[in-house]
Amino acid sequence: MLENISILKKKDPKPFLRWAGGKRWLKKELDLFVDIKNYEGYHEPFVGGGAILFHFQPTQAFISDTNKDLIDTYLAVKENPKSIVEILKGLKKDKDSYYEIRSKSFNDQFEKAAQFIYLNQFSFNGIYRVNSNGGYNVPYGYREKFNFDFDNIFYVSDYLQCVNITHCDFQDSLVNINEGSLIFLDPPYTIAHNQNGFIQYNQKIFSLDDQYRLDNAINQIKADGAYYILTNAAHKKVKEIFEKENDTIKEISRASVVGGRNSSRGQYSEYLFTNI
């Protein structure tokens, strides 16, 4: 698969998508207590941009998400990165081209994946949002001097050969968990509304019922003799739901990376729960 870039083969893959709520900032914290070689398989049911997946690079991994366009893109990159790269090379990087490409509908899986990657890179903050008809409707993001990392798409594809990729709900994704597995759980949540309107705002992206379903899933993970790491908003209701005897809770502060060019980006807290 990497015959055209064999000289570059030793480089590690990194996330090929921008993703709101991504966890690149969390890598150093996880390195303090996680050695991926100690676990029997890795599972990430809310994969998003895959920052932690590509950081750990487990040799046996199961990833999933409810976002079908996202999962279809991972599958296409896994199967045929060369076709996707060739399509991306032919796309112009300007505002008019962005809206033209956004308006198109493709049937070919590799054209659809190239479109997804292109829109992700040039949209406002890499946000994924669709209208009531399922059409992507994020505006142009005015990124300056951006160039695609085509080599990385090949690195990602090479790594994904050892990854099982599924479009499904997080509960359905846990059927492959074994004793000693590690499950990284990063459900969608807002941090800007941690203390003000958190419950109401999150109903739109990951409801309170979903949080309780996730708690039940964690109980099953523990019953199976597996290990979990959960990130979530630092809100009293979240703590009430997920606090468990003998498990660890850490409150981690970080700078918000979501917002407009002129927005105020302050410090926000997030919880990390784990039985490691």
Side-chain angles (χ1 to χ4, degrees):
M1 183 173 293
L2 293 179
E3 64 273 9
N4 294 329
I5 56 167
S6 58
I7 193 172
L8 301 173
K9 191 171 182 178
K10 291 184 179 180
K11 288 194 176 181
D12 290 332
K14 58 186 179 182
F16 65 101
L17 297 169
R18 306 158 67 210
W19 209 253
K23 290 298 182 288
R24 296 190 194 203
W25 62 274
L26 189 62
K27 294 185 295 184
K28 290 183 179 179
E29 179 71 29
L30 296 182
D31 283 342
L32 296 176
F33 65 95
V34 176
D35 183 344
I36 198 63
K37 297 189 295 296
N38 292 336
Y39 300 94
E40 298 295 327
Y42 173 86
H43 301 255
E44 191 167 343
F46 306 93
V47 67
I52 303 305
L53 171 75
F54 294 120
H55 176 61
F56 284 148
Q57 293 180 50
T59 55
Q60 182 186 35
F62 299 82
I63 64 172
S64 59
D65 205 285
T66 56
N67 185 327
K68 189 174 187 302
D69 291 336
L70 172 68
I71 291 300
D72 285 347
T73 299
Y74 272 100
L75 289 168
V77 168
K78 177 178 180 176
E79 180 178 342
N80 194 341
K82 184 176 180 181
S83 291
I84 295 170
V85 165
E86 290 304 314
I87 295 167
L88 287 172
K89 285 181 177 178
L91 302 179
K92 296 180 180 179
K93 308 170 194 174
D94 59 76
K95 181 178 178 180
D96 290 342
S97 298
Y98 174 86
Y99 285 109
E100 179 183 356
I101 293 164
R102 195 185 76 168
S103 68
K104 291 184 177 181
S105 178
F106 297 104
N107 293 320
D108 178 82
Q109 69 180 112
F110 306 114
E111 289 181 321
K112 288 174 66 176
Q115 180 190 42
F116 188 94
I117 295 170
Y118 176 93
L119 295 176
N120 172 265
Q121 293 299 323
F122 290 102
S123 66
F124 175 75
N125 278 344
I127 294 170
Y128 181 86
R129 186 185 67 205
V130 296
N131 58 28
S132 59
N133 296 318
Y136 187 80
N137 64 356
V138 180
Y140 183 61
Y142 295 94
R143 296 190 76 188
E144 298 177 359
K145 299 180 180 179
F146 174 80
N147 289 305
F148 285 107
D149 188 345
F150 296 125
D151 290 335
N152 184 56
I153 292 177
F154 284 94
Y155 304 145
V156 166
S157 179
D158 188 50
Y159 171 66
L160 289 177
Q161 302 311 306
C162 71
V163 178
N164 182 289
I165 306 170
T166 309
H167 167 239
C168 65
D169 180 77
F170 68 87
Q171 285 185 314
D172 297 327
S173 74
L174 302 181
V175 296
N176 296 306
I177 287 176
N178 297 310
E179 183 177 357
S181 294
L182 174 63
I183 301 89
F184 179 67
L185 302 162
D186 181 32
Y189 58 89
T190 175
I191 56 176
H193 297 271
N194 273 4
Q195 303 303 330
N196 180 19
F198 170 82
I199 302 298
Q200 181 179 2
Y201 187 87
N202 275 270
Q203 286 296 116
K204 304 173 185 177
I205 57 175
F206 197 73
S207 70
L208 198 58
D209 286 342
D210 290 327
Q211 299 278 13
Y212 281 110
R213 287 199 305 125
L214 182 55
D215 182 57
N216 289 333
I218 290 173
N219 290 336
Q220 186 60 53
I221 288 168
K222 295 181 66 177
D224 289 340
Y227 300 89
Y228 78 94
I229 300 169
L230 166 68
T231 60
N232 216 316
H235 186 272
K236 61 181 181 181
K237 189 64 177 178
V238 168
K239 186 175 182 180
E240 174 188 312
I241 294 171
F242 293 102
E243 188 172 23
K244 301 178 187 300
E245 187 176 0
N246 298 323
D247 289 2
T248 299
I249 305 174
K250 292 186 177 183
E251 186 169 344
I252 306 169
S253 295
R254 71 174 180 99
S256 170
V257 293
V258 178
R261 184 178 301 177
N262 297 318
S263 67
S264 174
R265 301 188 180 189
Q267 289 288 329
Y268 293 90
S269 292
E270 301 182 42
Y271 281 144
L272 186 153
F273 302 82
T274 184
N275 65 334
I276 297 176

